[in-house]
């Protein structure tokens, strides 16, 4: 879902500060230069920047991309697609036509490949482009950008296009890069983290998922044993488990155990930990003052999924056209601040020798002992799992 929706999903990126004297002139030049233009019939795919309010509008009139300290716009990607079943039917008809013209002879492998390619081109030339878009919010003050998708194809298309237009190269903020680029680690902590996850590896995202699993497990432990409260800036954030958790075997994310039950009675999930499974995904509730947030994190720690923020006013009126956007970004920044504080607290333990000698011992004891429910607590409903 879009960043502005009531259930937002987005990925995060660190954006290096551009080496220019006038940042906003750069933004204006590059957004207008890369604005979406309607394609001719021969192009299968076309991309471009468009307005935040309407991705069918790419004029950026009156600097509409500037909203307070943020740059906000849409990345639009139109694609022509041929449904597999349609292509299959047309290929079948073409093969039959070939046989009719060759006394029932079947086309050989290369001839059939040629038939398929010709039909693919024929159908694409007659297909209508399907528009798609992802919202983008860039906060230059924090060197951070959020992209309203977790889909690999849209992310890859956006990064390729943005880098080509701006000559700026965003860094995906999954587990280790999040720590390196956004958190105040010491030199010693960075050395330890670098020894755990090599960011030079092309498989760094998956190689470091163990760190995300450890974090999600530690958060569960922290909630149950330490109460879940953290100081995030000048506010107290209270962290709670949601009602969904996914566990997998280390190194194998195909076999998934999904536990859905009351957060305080995740017995089946704890049993999974005892059997050697690890937390791959967890739903969390974050409460800051009167604001309640519900979100899902997986072990990559890259995307915030299905983020529910407090209900916004339906209309801010013409006097404050960006008010709704700025309020939404206030909520998102509040959630990110709480998560960064929580992650930093985890890393303060994980990236020290005390992790092996102290924290892991406590975690193992907590897993083995289980949670002791209050005596007057009602019996929980049974957990449901699916594989």
């Amino acid at each position: 879902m879009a960043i502005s929706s009531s259930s937002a999903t987005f990925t995060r990126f660190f954006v290096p500060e551009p080496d220019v004297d006038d940042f906003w002139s750069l933004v204006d030049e590059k957004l207008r230069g890369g604005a979406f233009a309607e394609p001719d019939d021969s192009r299968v795919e076309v991309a471009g920047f468009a307005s935040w309010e309407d991705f069918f509008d790419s004029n950026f009139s009156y600097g509409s991309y500037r909203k307070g300290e943020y740059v906000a716009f849409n990345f639009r990607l139109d694609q022509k697609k041929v449904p597999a079943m349609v292509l299959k039917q047309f290929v079948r008809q073409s093969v039959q036509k070939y046989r009719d013209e060759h006394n029932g002879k079947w086309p050989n492998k290369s001839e059939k490949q040629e038939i398929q390619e010709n039909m693919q081109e024929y159908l694409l030339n007659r297909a209508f482009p399907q528009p798609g878009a992802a919202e983008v919010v860039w906060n230059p003050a924090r060197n951070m950008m959020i992209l309203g998708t977790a889909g690999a194809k849209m992310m890859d298309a956006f990064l390729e296009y943005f880098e080509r237009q701006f000559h700026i190269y965003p860094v995906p903020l999954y587990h280790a890069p999040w720590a390196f680029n956004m958190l105040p680690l010491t030199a010693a902590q960075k050395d330890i983290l670098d020894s755990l996850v090599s960011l030079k590896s092309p498989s760094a995202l998956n190689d470091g998922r163990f760190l995300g699993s450890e974090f999600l497990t530690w958060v569960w432990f922290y909630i149950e044993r330490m109460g879940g409260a953290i100081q995030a800036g000048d506010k107290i954030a209270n962290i709670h488990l949601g009602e969904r958790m996914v566990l997998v075997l280390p190194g194998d994310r195909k076999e998934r155990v999904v536990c859905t039950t009351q957060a305080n009675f995740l017995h089946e999930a704890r049993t999974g930990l005892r059997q050697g499974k690890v937390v791959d995904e967890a739903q969390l509730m974050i409460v800051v003052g009167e604001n309640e947030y519900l979100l899902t994190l997986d072990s990559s720690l890259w995307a915030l999924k299905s983020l529910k923020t407090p209900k916004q006013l339906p209309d801010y009126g013409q006097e404050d056209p960006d008010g709704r956007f700025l309020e939404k970004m206030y909520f998102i920044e509040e959630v990110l601040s709480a998560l960064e504080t929580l992650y930093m607290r985890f890393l303060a333990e994980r990236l020290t020798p005390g992790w092996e000698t102290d924290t892991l011992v406590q975690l193992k004891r907590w897993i083995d002992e289980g949670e002791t429910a209050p005596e007057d607590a009602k019996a929980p409903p049974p957990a449901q799992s699916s594989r």
Side-chain angles (χ1 to χ4, degrees), residues 28 71 104 166 179-180 208 214 231 256 261 293 319 345 354 387:
D28 188 79
V71 185
F166 278 84
F180 274 115
E214 290 176 353
Q231 184 76 40
R256 298 159 59 84
T261 184
Y293 306 94
E319 296 182 0
R345 183 151 185 170
R387 294 180 184 268

Side-chain angles (χ1 to χ4, degrees), residues 24-281:
W24 290 104
S25 293
L26 171 74
V27 170
D28 188 79
E29 174 191 346
K30 300 303 183 182
L31 285 182
R32 293 183 187 278
F36 183 89
E38 293 295 338
D40 57 43
D41 292 339
S42 65
R43 298 187 64 180
V44 175
E45 181 175 293
V46 62
F49 304 130
S51 166
W52 170 267
E53 287 80 10
D54 180 5
F55 69 79
F56 289 104
D57 174 15
S58 54
N59 292 321
F60 297 108
S61 56
Y62 308 107
S64 59
Y65 53 79
R66 185 168 185 174
K67 301 186 182 300
E69 65 180 348
Y70 301 96
V71 185
F73 57 96
N74 263 290
F75 172 68
R76 180 174 167 184
L77 181 66
D78 283 19
Q79 299 171 288
K80 288 184 177 181
K81 297 180 180 179
V82 178
M85 289 300 295
V86 174
L87 177 61
K88 184 177 180 180
Q89 178 63 21
F90 274 79
V91 169
R92 182 185 293 118
Q93 293 173 359
S94 295
V95 168
Q96 184 59 49
K97 181 179 179 181
Y98 177 95
R99 295 187 67 198
D100 292 343
E101 295 172 350
H102 293 80
N103 298 318
K105 177 185 175 183
W106 289 91
N108 60 34
K109 185 176 181 181
S110 62
E111 290 169 334
K112 187 171 183 181
Q113 179 67 28
E114 183 179 359
I115 289 173
Q116 183 156 343
E117 291 173 355
N118 289 340
M119 290 311 307
Q120 175 82 5
E121 182 179 0
Y122 171 82
L123 293 170
L124 280 173
N125 287 336
R126 285 153 179 78
F128 288 101
Q130 300 178 25
E135 292 178 342
V136 185
V137 179
W138 182 0
N139 184 349
R142 291 196 65 203
N143 298 110
M144 190 173 73
M145 177 182 288
I146 59 177
L147 176 65
T149 182
K153 184 174 180 60
M154 181 65 83
M155 277 194 285
D156 290 343
F158 167 74
L159 289 173
E160 189 277 332
Y161 194 80
F162 180 86
E163 290 168 0
R164 175 152 45 90
Q165 297 296 324
F166 278 84
H167 301 289
I168 297 173
Y169 303 92
V171 178
L173 290 178
Y174 53 84
H175 41 70
W178 178 19
F180 274 115
N181 291 285
M182 303 300 291
L183 303 181
L185 299 182
T186 66
Q189 288 173 326
K190 289 182 178 179
D191 287 343
I192 296 174
L193 183 56
D194 188 55
S195 69
L196 293 173
V197 183
S198 173
L199 295 184
K200 296 179 181 179
S201 169
S203 58
L205 173 60
N206 286 322
D207 291 346
R209 279 185 177 272
F210 73 90
L211 191 66
S213 292
E214 290 176 353
F215 172 61
L216 295 176
T217 304
W218 177 89
V219 169
W220 182 4
F221 166 79
Y222 184 77
I223 290 169
E224 290 194 357
R225 287 293 184 259
M226 309 298 177
I230 56 169
Q231 184 76 40
D234 59 349
K235 301 177 182 178
I236 299 293
N238 290 283
I239 317 298
H240 307 273
L241 287 179
E243 297 185 353
R244 186 177 187 276
M245 187 175 292
V246 179
L247 291 91
V248 298
L249 290 171
D252 182 6
R253 301 180 66 240
K254 295 180 181 179
E255 183 178 342
R256 298 159 59 84
V257 178
V258 181
C259 302
T260 56
T261 184
Q262 293 181 7
N264 292 330
F265 299 99
L266 286 167
H267 300 307
E268 187 175 11
R270 193 186 302 277
T271 299
L273 290 181
R274 294 194 191 103
Q275 294 172 344
K277 295 182 176 66
V278 297
V279 180
D280 188 59
E281 189 176 294

Side-chain angles (χ1 to χ4, degrees), residues 270-381:
R270 193 186 302 277
T271 299
L273 290 181
R274 294 194 191 103
Q275 294 172 344
K277 295 182 176 66
V278 297
V279 180
D280 188 59
E281 189 176 294
Q283 187 185 60
L284 300 174
M285 176 181 286
I286 300 176
V287 181
V288 185
E290 296 182 353
N291 295 334
E292 293 187 1
Y293 306 94
L294 194 66
L295 62 103
T296 297
L297 275 180
D298 66 30
S299 57
S300 74
L301 306 183
W302 187 5
L304 269 67
K305 301 176 182 178
S306 303
L307 170 63
K308 298 184 185 300
T309 58
K311 188 175 181 179
Q312 294 186 265
L313 296 175
D315 187 10
Y316 279 82
Q318 294 182 351
E319 296 182 0
D320 188 13
D322 295 334
R324 186 176 180 83
F325 168 86
L326 293 173
E327 183 186 47
K328 185 71 173 185
M329 291 312 301
Y330 174 85
F331 291 148
I332 289 175
E333 296 278 7
E334 191 165 66
V335 169
L336 292 177
S337 176
L339 288 174
E340 287 178 355
T341 302
L342 192 63
Y343 193 39
M344 186 63 210
R345 183 151 185 170
F346 161 75
L347 292 173
E349 296 185 28
R350 182 62 178 86
L351 303 179
T352 62
W355 174 258
E356 298 284 347
T357 60
D358 184 21
T359 306
L360 277 183
V361 174
Q362 294 182 48
L363 282 168
K364 188 177 185 307
R365 185 183 304 124
W366 164 73
I367 292 170
D368 291 340
E369 292 177 352
E371 180 192 17
T372 302
E375 292 183 0
D376 58 348
K378 295 181 180 180

